Amino acid sequence: MAPVVSTLQERLRDALVRIGLEPDERPQVSATTDPRFGDYQTNVAMTYAKRAKQNPRALAGRIVAALQVSDLGPAPEIAGPGFINFRLGADFLARQVAEMARDERLGVPVASPAKTIIIDFSSPNIAKPMHVGHIRSTILGDTLARVSRFLGHQVVTDNHLGDWGTQFGKVIYGWKNLLDHDALEQHPVAELVRIYREADAAAADPRVLDRCREELVKLQQGDPENLRIWQECVSRSMQEFSRVYQLLDVHFDEQLGESFYHARLAALTAALQKEGVLEESDGALVYWAHSLSDDPFIIRKSDGGFGYAATDLATLFYRLERWQPDAIWYVVGAPQQLHFKQLFSLARRLGVKIDLEHVAFGSILGEDRKLMRTRSGDSVSLDELLEEAIERAAAPVAEKNPDLPAAERRRIAEIVGLGAVKYAELSQHRLTDYVFSWDKLLSLHGNTAPYLQNAYVRSRAIFRKLPGTFAFPDTLAFTAEAELKLAKALVQFADAVPAILDGFRPNVLANYLYELAAVFHVFYEECPVLSAPEPQRAVRLALCETFGRVTRAGLGLLGIGVPERM
RNA sequence: GCGCCCUUAGCUCAGCCGGAUAGAGCAACGGAUUUCUAAUCCGUGGGUCGCAGGUUCGAGUCCUGCAGGGCGCGCCA
């Protein structure tokens, strides 16, 4: 089956050709915002009238006369200045829902052509805790990967770890002089942070600062002792990160951190110099993109060291070589826009043609509208935040389902609590700075994960009470208005999923799922299922099942699970 | 100072390439339940889409200017 919008676009294209116009590949068609205007609308008559200097309503009349859509529903209507409104017929919707139910993909088409896409996201820093700042990158990147894969693209997810920076001078100094081994065993990252902070404070003394620098230089020169300490920091940090990733159900194909590229930087710089794209400035080697900024892109620092500009460029070339991707997406916060513009500018200059995207996002704010912090002023650690989400979600579960075993309740609380945190991110436009509020994201009302999960649970409860097994009917016949509305909403899934990648907006899918759940709730209120006579009962069960599958699949694309009860 | 982003209902936010009378949730008020999980649904009130111009048949959406807010701005990442 084809998504409704694609079908209408196709028919529209044929009609435009028939009346002698040259249509776009995908003439504008969209679902209407108001049911009075039908289910779908197009304004092509007005846009073409403008080009051809014709009367828009007259042109709309010619288009409608040439349109062959009688299998989809009643004849389209012309309204207002030249809108063409389509209404889907009950029999078309019935066929469409039955077809989507037979399809494992629920009607979502496979993208063509399939692309190879590298998604760079999460990227926490070694020896620092993962905090709320990392959650958006992690969750957004994971969702984009899930959606891209579902659409048939070849995806490589890469966690570009911050495992090679100047902070290691202080960390190693701290390790050698300040380390508490018991604390390291108990809370590795916390202890690494502590020694870093103390070393940082001690570095106010120039002698300590010098020793920190020496440790860094030794590390960079391959000193075995310092390499061992560094490796130890990496593995202990990774253990903690892995727990968070496991909790979030986030997985990477590669975790090639900055250190992986370290050995390549000197040769890369030499190659860039040969290309003549670098200039010397105050002892540093820089690339200027004056149209972007008066500030340079520093490839090699005046002390001969390399910053992350060099690393990111080396990373880009490594990826080109290894995977020959069609696109690389960097899921990194909005403050780094200039960095990526400069990086991409230099890459273009060097002949890179593939699609490079900085998928930027806004900050997470506390309820005081400032960057989210703990009471003591630290950034909020991610594992604590996730644990709190689970604990908070556990309370209503225990209240509603006290008879469930504790382990089962915990599992449900994880699905609900973690889902709520993820959904709060994803349901919002990615560039919006969003205000973190436990009460809002865990609310059972409004556009939240628990609301959607509850709608799913209600649809599933029906099947538990159903005597015998349910066989999806070959044909459906809708009788109630609420059934038709639910069918119309279900059929839109096929258009909602591909739209996510258009502008990297998972909130499009979230909003769709929310509206779908609201429509389902109306159906649920108005249409008794189990007590309905056949064949109505089978039709309603079919709608419940399809709703459940769409919700499960849709939330799954957002990395969010659904419980069977809650 | 320069650059990027933002400003939509009391609050938190949707609003794709310009399309019809700008939508949700929360909060407020009024209804519906011997439940297929009411963790729900229905209804009411609430708007100069920051301000001022411009382009257009049509602007929350595009352009210019201004105001307010956030972020970034040479050797951190």
Side-chain angles (χ1 to χ4, degrees):
Chain A
M1 70 176 260
V4 177
V5 168
S6 308
T7 304
L8 287 172
Q9 285 174 329
E10 206 174 294
R11 305 294 177 87
L12 207 47
R13 227 169 34 227
D14 293 346
L16 291 167
V17 167
R18 229 167 268 138
I19 62 171
L21 292 171
E22 286 177 30
D24 300 334
E25 179 68 19
R26 300 165 65 83
Q28 184 275 333
V29 173
S30 56
T32 54
T33 48
D34 189 323
R36 280 175 302 159
F37 305 135
D39 299 318
Y40 291 83
Q41 67 170 39
T42 176
N43 54 35
V44 288
M46 290 178 290
T47 53
Y48 280 86
K50 197 173 191 170
R51 283 185 223 171
K53 300 206 164 131
Q54 295 184 32
N55 177 292
R57 280 196 69 109
L59 183 58
R62 291 174 59 210
I63 295 171
V64 167
L67 266 169
Q68 297 183 350
V69 289
S70 55
D71 54 327
L72 309 182
E77 288 166 14
I78 301 167
F83 293 101
I84 299 172
N85 296 332
F86 300 92
R87 217 170 282 276
L88 301 183
D91 49 346
F92 170 74
L93 279 165
R95 287 197 305 275
Q96 202 77 359
V97 170
E99 252 186 85
M100 112 183 236
R102 275 193 289 272
D103 181 6
E104 264 182 29
R105 305 178 53 79
L106 290 161
V108 179
V110 174
S112 172
K115 293 178 183 168
T116 299
I117 302 165
I118 295 172
I119 309 180
D120 177 326
F121 66 99
S122 197
S123 310
N125 293 316
I126 299 298
K128 289 185 191 167
M130 264 179 114
H131 55 84
V132 282
H134 296 106
I135 200 176
R136 282 195 108 166
S137 172
T138 305
I139 289 172
L140 236 182
D142 179 56
T143 295
L144 294 176
R146 287 171 187 266
V147 172
S148 302
R149 286 205 172 103
F150 183 66
L151 291 174
H153 297 298
Q154 191 73 37
V155 174
V156 177
T157 53
D158 187 9
N159 193 7
H160 191 67
L161 300 160
D163 61 357
W164 196 259
T166 46
Q167 77 269 27
F168 282 103
K170 285 169 183 166
V171 173
I172 291 171
Y173 172 87
W175 184 287
K176 289 181 176 175
N177 297 285
L178 305 163
L179 191 65
D180 175 340
H181 287 272
D182 290 339
L184 184 70
E185 293 309 321
Q186 293 293 312
H187 301 286
V189 173
E191 177 61 6
L192 293 177
V193 169
R194 189 190 66 82
I195 61 174
Y196 169 80
R197 282 199 185 145
E198 290 202 13
D200 189 49
D205 177 347
R207 283 170 305 181
V208 175
L209 187 61
D210 278 346
R211 289 188 54 194
C212 290
R213 285 191 182 133
E214 281 167 31
E215 299 294 2
L216 179 65
V217 171
K218 280 168 72 181
L219 173 69
Q220 288 169 339
Q221 289 170 346
D223 174 77
E225 166 73 357
N226 281 12
L227 269 178
R228 190 193 60 76
I229 294 171
W230 167 78
Q231 186 56 53
E232 187 83 355
C233 293
V234 171
S235 64
R236 286 179 188 266
S237 296
M238 288 302 292
Q239 270 174 31
E240 283 204 23
F241 297 163
S242 300
R243 267 212 317 276
V244 171
Y245 291 137
Q246 207 167 354
L247 209 50
L248 290 173
D249 192 21
V250 169
H251 308 274
F252 296 95
D253 301 311
E254 300 288 345
Q255 305 211 58
L256 299 175
E258 293 167 346
S259 65
F260 179 80
Y261 302 97
H262 184 242
R264 300 162 179 264
L265 302 183
L268 174 71
T269 307
L272 294 182
Q273 283 182 290
K274 214 171 166 186
E275 288 287 325
V277 296
L278 300 186
E279 288 176 35
E280 199 184 319
S281 172
D282 295 338
L285 280 176
V286 307
Y287 166 71
W288 292 102
H290 288 291
S291 61
L292 294 174
S293 167
D294 293 332
D295 297 310
F297 194 58
I298 298 173
I299 297 294
R300 196 180 71 195
K301 300 186 286 181
S302 53
D303 67 0
F306 297 100
Y308 81 142
T311 311
D312 276 3
L313 193 65
T315 304
L316 202 163
F317 280 112
Y318 175 82
R319 288 169 173 167
L320 292 181
E321 211 173 287
R322 177 156 170 204
W323 290 291
Q324 292 92 42
D326 300 290
I328 305 177
W329 299 343
Y330 297 84
V331 188
V332 179
Q336 294 197 39
Q337 280 187 65
L338 177 60
H339 169 74
F340 283 105
K341 280 185 182 171
Q342 289 175 320
L343 176 69
F344 297 166
S345 160
L346 178 50
R348 298 288 179 230
R349 176 85 182 271
L350 295 166
V352 174
K353 296 278 192 283
I354 66 162
D355 184 23
L356 300 171
E357 301 279 356
H358 175 207
V359 182
F361 53 85
S363 312
I364 301 183
L365 308 177
E367 296 198 65
D368 57 0
R369 299 229 48 140
K370 293 185 176 158
L371 277 183
M372 197 174 168
R373 301 279 178 200
T374 61
R375 279 174 299 279
S376 56
D378 295 332
S379 48
V380 178
S381 94
L382 194 44
D383 51 353
E384 283 169 23
L385 180 122
L386 297 178
E387 199 50 51
E388 183 169 355
I390 295 166
E391 276 166 30
R392 283 175 181 261
V397 175
E399 190 186 324
K400 192 80 178 178
N401 287 298
D403 47 331
L404 287 177
E408 177 71 6
R409 290 210 308 264
R410 161 79 191 190
R411 212 181 54 79
I412 294 170
E414 281 185 11
I415 294 172
V416 175
L418 298 173
V421 170
K422 288 187 176 188
Y423 192 85
E425 309 265 349
L426 296 169
S427 60
Q428 200 126 154
H429 186 98
R430 64 185 161 84
L431 284 170
T432 314
D433 286 346
Y434 98 91
V435 177
F436 190 96
S437 158
W438 284 118
D439 289 344
K440 275 184 187 147
L441 66 92
L442 284 168
S443 167
L444 299 315
H445 310 274
N447 193 4
T448 66
Y451 174 87
L452 299 186
Q453 288 165 328
N454 178 54
Y456 174 80
V457 163
R458 293 175 95 184
S459 80
R460 298 307 304 156
I462 290 173
F463 289 92
R464 276 200 302 277
K465 299 216 168 164
L466 178 70
T469 54
F470 167 65
F472 203 98
D474 291 332
T475 56
L476 304 173
F478 300 130
T479 45
E481 188 57 30
E483 293 169 349
L484 273 173
K485 282 191 176 155
L486 180 53
K488 284 175 186 174
L490 288 170
V491 154
Q492 287 180 18
F493 184 62
D495 288 308
V497 174
I500 297 168
L501 296 189
D502 178 15
F504 309 105
R505 294 176 308 155
N507 65 312
V508 170
L509 178 60
N511 291 340
Y512 163 76
L513 292 172
Y514 172 59
E515 276 160 29
L516 175 67
V519 172
F520 173 75
H521 271 134
V522 172
F523 161 83
Y524 185 90
E525 297 281 332
E526 287 182 12
C527 300
V529 178
L530 292 175
S531 60
E534 292 293 2
Q536 201 174 44
R537 188 171 87 150
V539 168
R540 290 180 176 178
L541 283 166
L543 285 169
C544 286
E545 181 176 87
T546 310
F547 165 76
R549 284 181 59 201
V550 167
T551 299
R552 190 171 59 221
L555 285 175
L557 288 173
L558 301 178
I560 297 170
V562 282
E564 289 301 304
R565 37 185 116 210
M566 62 192 280

